[in-house]
Amino acid sequence: MDFYTSEPTLENYWRSVILFGRNVASYKFALSKALIDLSPSDHELVTLEQLAVPYAKHICEHLQGNDKQATSSSSRFLDECRKFNHGETTKVSLINTTVKLGFTNVIDAFHNVNSGDLPQRFFIDERRQNSGIRLTDNFYSLFREQQPGSLYDETEARWRLVESAWSMNLSRNLITVQHDAQNELLFTNQVHRRVNITSCRDALNGYQKGRCFYSFKKISICSGNAERADVDHFFPHTLKDKSIIPNLDGVWNLVLSSQECNRGSGGKLARLPSLNLLARLHQRNEYLITSHHPLRETLILQTGKDEPARRRFLQSCYNQAKSILIHTWEPEPLDDPMF
């Protein structure tokens, strides 16, 4: 898969698990967050009893916001989590049920992306031998090198997008994620009611591998960080008045940029990015398409039903923007191309 083969770091292997796996339940997101919760410890072997505590906690928390956490019509494990939320069962019973039923098909499938196992693993399944999983050197290397904050936030954003699509229970053709520029949120409308989904930065950062779209400089999505990324319109927002490009606020036109590239001296400002950068936007959007609900459907609705149609759409937008803005802009890359 090009996403991680073009930059085969542990961080991007982890992201590919979260962003590109198929989802019939939210358990993979809960397992990811539970593992990150455990990362400060040095326990190589994590028993199912130990893992069940943070795992069930995350499922219970999300059930309180969105009752649908799987595509199947029934789940004894989710029923037990609901009972716990309603005070109808004890924590001991919840953990016992989680150990017995909660990890079915999630531990086995965690490393499976695009119908194949990743070449790097973050844990070994030792449920039969030792009633748990054994964390690998990859896991410790990743979280020694990387602050878990961004991966934690990206997982949460992806979880919210997926559960929003399930909870809406609408035809995929009717699902459209929109951008609130003022509050920098992604939202959708459900029966004439706006539903905020997640932070725009958290949702987009993984697809850009934590880098500035234009220069590949490392960026942050954490509030208060001096390197916090800007949310930028690839085709400048000033074109909105010209009415030549549809849906400029669409996800397809939003990228994360370093502050220098967006608004620094010599930055992009309201200029048109180069054709090289247009090709990169197409690649980034194809990453979004490769993932599933609901950004995939949103991008297809906004830019075209197949890859050639989406390429033509971007080129058409570019030609019209160039006729007005005339000059193009491209910064010096600060690292090797990564997407």
Side-chain angles (χ1 to χ4, degrees):
M1 185 180 195
D2 183 62
F3 181 83
Y4 59 75
T5 56
S6 63
E7 190 195 8
T9 64
L10 294 174
E11 187 177 353
N12 289 332
Y13 282 119
W14 185 275
R15 284 188 167 117
S16 67
V17 168
I18 302 306
L19 299 177
F20 297 107
R22 287 192 175 276
N23 307 115
V24 295
S26 60
Y27 304 160
K28 179 176 62 181
F29 306 127
L31 179 57
S32 172
K33 294 185 72 170
L35 289 169
I36 294 174
D37 287 341
L38 293 169
S39 64
S41 75
D42 286 321
H43 299 296
E44 290 185 3
L45 179 67
V46 179
T47 65
L48 294 186
E49 285 80 2
Q50 291 172 319
L51 192 58
V53 175
Y55 180 80
K57 175 178 79 76
H58 291 302
I59 293 284
C60 289
E61 287 175 351
H62 270 260
L63 277 170
Q64 291 175 338
N66 270 295
D67 190 65
K68 190 164 186 176
Q69 293 295 325
T71 56
S72 61
S73 58
S74 64
S75 163
R76 289 167 58 196
F77 167 57
L78 291 179
D79 287 344
E80 183 72 8
C81 292
R82 293 184 183 101
K83 287 181 182 176
F84 180 77
N85 281 344
H86 295 148
E88 298 169 356
T89 191
T90 65
K91 185 172 182 178
V92 171
S93 177
L94 172 66
I95 299 306
N96 288 339
T97 302
T98 303
V99 170
K100 185 178 178 182
L101 303 173
F103 297 112
T104 303
N105 297 328
V106 61
I107 287 178
D108 316 61
F110 186 81
H111 295 94
N112 190 285
V113 176
N114 246 9
S115 303
D117 276 355
L118 292 174
Q120 303 290 340
R121 299 186 70 86
F122 296 99
F123 61 79
I124 305 298
D125 183 359
E126 293 190 2
R127 283 177 291 174
R128 289 188 177 179
Q129 307 95 316
N130 295 308
S131 301
I133 60 173
R134 188 171 298 279
L135 302 178
T136 65
D137 289 343
N138 286 338
F139 179 82
Y140 289 110
S141 294
L142 173 61
F143 290 105
R144 274 198 296 266
E145 298 165 359
Q146 161 89 23
Q147 290 295 318
S150 62
L151 294 179
Y152 205 83
D153 292 342
E154 290 167 28
T155 303
E156 179 66 17
R158 181 72 188 146
W159 191 343
R160 288 182 179 276
L161 282 162
V162 171
E163 70 185 4
S164 295
W166 289 338
S167 69
M168 290 167 70
N169 199 27
L170 295 172
S171 163
R172 292 191 299 179
N173 291 334
L174 297 178
I175 298 172
T176 301
V177 175
Q178 302 177 66
H179 176 234
D180 178 336
Q182 183 175 357
N183 296 305
E184 297 181 330
L185 290 170
L186 298 183
F187 71 96
T188 190
N189 290 307
Q190 183 176 0
V191 194
H192 309 300
R193 181 174 64 90
R194 170 174 158 149
V195 178
N196 291 333
I197 301 176
T198 187
S199 156
C200 188
R201 288 184 180 84
D202 296 350
L204 295 179
N205 192 52
Y207 297 97
Q208 292 184 200
K209 302 177 179 176
R211 303 282 180 154
C212 169
F213 178 85
Y214 301 111
S215 68
F216 298 118
K217 179 183 179 181
K218 284 190 175 181
I219 54 176
S220 171
I221 56 174
C222 298
S223 179
N225 189 300
E227 299 296 332
R228 192 183 191 214
D230 286 350
V231 180
D232 182 47
H233 290 75
F234 180 92
F235 289 104
H237 205 255
T238 53
L239 293 170
K240 200 166 187 177
D241 294 339
K242 308 295 182 184
S243 300
I244 59 170
I245 296 178
N247 200 7
L248 271 174
D249 290 329
V251 176
W252 69 273
N253 191 39
L254 302 178
V255 299
L256 299 185
S257 166
S258 68
Q259 297 169 25
E260 293 88 341
C261 280
N262 187 35
R263 51 191 159 95
S265 173
K268 170 176 167 278
L269 302 173
R271 287 184 284 182
L272 180 65
S274 69
L275 275 173
N276 288 334
L277 295 171
L278 182 73
R280 191 179 300 164
L281 179 67
H282 178 67
Q283 177 67 45
R284 194 294 306 263
N285 284 349
E286 291 304 302
Y287 284 156
L288 291 169
I289 295 283
T290 308
S291 68
H292 303 285
H293 298 303
L295 290 180
R296 169 188 169 84
E297 288 72 30
T298 297
L299 266 289
I300 288 174
L301 280 172
Q302 292 175 343
T303 62
K305 65 179 181 180
D306 53 32
E307 192 273 339
R310 294 189 286 273
R311 190 183 294 276
R312 289 195 299 273
F313 170 81
L314 288 182
Q315 188 62 57
S316 173
C317 292
Y318 191 89
N319 294 342
Q320 295 184 71
K322 183 88 166 37
S323 69
I324 294 173
L325 299 174
I326 308 298
H327 302 293
T328 60
W329 170 87
E330 181 174 348
E332 286 295 321
L334 299 180
D335 213 325
D336 294 332
M338 297 165 190
F339 53 90

